[in-house]
Amino acid sequence: MASIIESGWLYLTSHFSDFQLACLGSFLLHESVFFLAGLPFIFLERAGFLSHFKIQSKNNTYAAQERCIIRLVLYHLGVNLPVMIFSYPVFRYMGMRSSLPLPSWKVVATQIVFYFILEDFVFYWGHRILHTKWLYKHVHSVHHEYATPFGLTSEYAHPAEILFLGFATIIGPAITGPHLITLWLWMVLRVLETVEAHCGYHFPWSLSNFLPLYGGADFHDYHHRLLYTKSGNYSSTFVYMDWIFGTDKGYRRLKALKNGQVEESRKEL
C-alpha cells in the first residue's frame, strides 16, 4: 500500500510543480471533497429519503439551496483560492515540502492530532467572538441565514468570517510546516467533519455515537436553531471547550429532557 501511494505521489511531483500542487491541487481537492460530501444531503432533503433521521422537520426551499451553491462557488473562487495562493510562501518558509520521502504514519498522526486540538481551541474562541452583537449582525449572521443547515452550508459565510475562522484551520500546519500530503489529509478530514456537522441528519452510524467528545450534527444543529445570544455549542470538532466553559448547558438540559421523555414512553409501553 505504501509503495502504491509513493508511486502515485512520485507521478504528481514529476508532472506538477510544488506551487501547482500546493495551491491548485489543494483547491481542486477541497472542491471535490466538499461538493461530493455535501451535495447528497440536498438530494436526501429534496427526495425525503431517510427523513426519520432528519434532526429538524423543516426543509429548505430549492431557491435557498441554489442560492447557497452559487454563493459558495463565488466565495471559493474569490476568497479560498486567493488565500491558498498568497499563503503558499508562508507555508514554504515554515518548511512545507512535497518531495519524497513521504512522512511516516506516526508523524502524520501526531501532526493531525495536534491540528485538531489547536483548531478546536482557536475556533471556539473565534466563534464565541463572532456571536457578540456587532460581529453577529454584520458578519456571522450570514452563516446563520440557514437555521436548518444542510451539508453545504458548512462553508456558507461572510468573506470576513471565512478568513477569520479559516485561520483556526491553517494555524497548525503553518506552525509545523508539514509535508503536503499531511496538509491534504488534514484538509480532507476537516471538510468531511464540518459537512457532517451541518448535514442536518443524525444517523445510527454517525461518529458522535461512537467517539467520545465528538460533536457531530445533533450538537451543531442545536446551535443553528437558537437565537445568537443563547445558542452555545461553539465548538468545532470536539466539544470539550463547551463543556469546560459551560456553553453547552442548554443543549445538555434538552438532551436530558428528551432522554427522560423516551424513558417515560418506554415505561408506559
Side-chain angles (χ1 to χ4, degrees):
M1 183 64 179
S3 61
I4 295 174
I5 296 174
E6 284 195 359
S7 297
W9 196 260
L10 180 60
Y11 175 86
L12 288 176
T13 54
S14 300
H15 289 77
F16 302 97
S17 69
D18 192 72
F19 175 81
Q20 289 172 327
L21 289 173
C23 299
L24 300 181
S26 297
F27 180 75
L28 292 174
L29 178 63
H30 172 274
E31 297 304 288
S32 300
V33 174
F34 177 71
F35 283 104
L36 286 174
L39 283 172
F41 293 106
I42 286 183
F43 300 137
L44 282 180
E45 189 174 279
R46 289 188 175 188
F49 295 146
L50 302 175
S51 58
H52 50 295
F53 295 125
K54 199 170 185 301
I55 298 169
Q56 298 187 48
S57 58
K58 178 184 175 182
N59 288 333
N60 292 282
T61 65
Y62 287 11
Q65 292 173 338
E66 289 163 4
R67 184 180 76 248
C68 176
I69 293 173
I70 292 171
R71 291 190 181 181
L72 279 171
V73 172
L74 295 175
Y75 291 156
H76 287 180
L77 291 173
V79 181
N80 292 22
L81 181 57
V83 167
M84 289 180 181
I85 292 173
F86 289 112
S87 62
Y88 172 73
V90 176
F91 281 93
R92 287 290 294 171
Y93 176 79
M94 295 303 294
M96 186 187 74
R97 64 181 181 87
S98 60
S99 58
L100 293 173
L102 296 177
S104 69
W105 68 267
K106 291 182 180 179
V107 170
V108 173
T110 301
Q111 290 181 332
I112 293 295
V113 169
F114 171 69
Y115 298 161
F116 269 116
I117 294 172
L118 184 59
E119 196 272 343
D120 272 324
F121 179 84
V122 176
F123 183 96
Y124 175 84
W125 289 110
H127 196 183
R128 282 194 70 171
I129 291 171
L130 286 173
H131 275 266
T132 55
K133 189 173 183 179
W134 190 91
L135 283 174
Y136 183 88
K137 179 180 179 181
H138 295 283
V139 178
H140 194 49
S141 59
V142 173
H143 181 65
H144 279 269
E145 287 177 13
Y146 292 90
T148 306
F150 53 94
L152 295 182
T153 60
S154 56
E155 294 191 4
Y156 180 88
H158 190 286
E161 179 176 341
I162 295 173
L163 296 173
F164 185 56
L165 289 185
F167 175 77
T169 300
I170 67 172
I171 181 62
I175 291 173
T176 61
H179 192 281
L180 182 59
I181 199 170
T182 307
L183 182 62
W184 280 5
L185 176 60
W186 165 239
M187 181 173 62
V188 168
L189 292 175
R190 279 292 296 127
V191 169
L192 293 176
E193 182 279 323
T194 192
V195 167
E196 193 271 340
H198 289 82
C199 74
Y201 291 81
H202 183 71
F203 302 110
W205 56 85
S206 292
L207 197 56
S208 57
N209 292 328
F210 307 101
L211 188 60
L213 298 179
Y214 182 84
D218 188 62
F219 184 85
H220 194 69
D221 200 276
Y222 175 87
H223 175 81
H224 275 263
R225 295 199 304 269
L226 299 188
L227 294 173
Y228 79 94
T229 53
K230 301 178 181 179
S231 57
N233 290 24
Y234 302 113
S235 294
S236 175
T237 304
F238 298 97
V239 302
Y240 61 90
M241 291 292 290
D242 277 296
W243 180 78
I244 291 172
F245 293 99
T247 45
D248 63 346
K249 290 181 179 179
Y251 172 74
R252 285 191 282 137
R253 281 197 295 267
L254 180 63
K255 292 289 288 183
L257 180 63
K258 285 185 176 180
N259 291 336
Q261 290 174 345
V262 170
E263 288 298 322
E264 287 296 324
S265 298
R266 288 175 178 173
K267 289 179 181 178
E268 291 176 1
L269 294 174

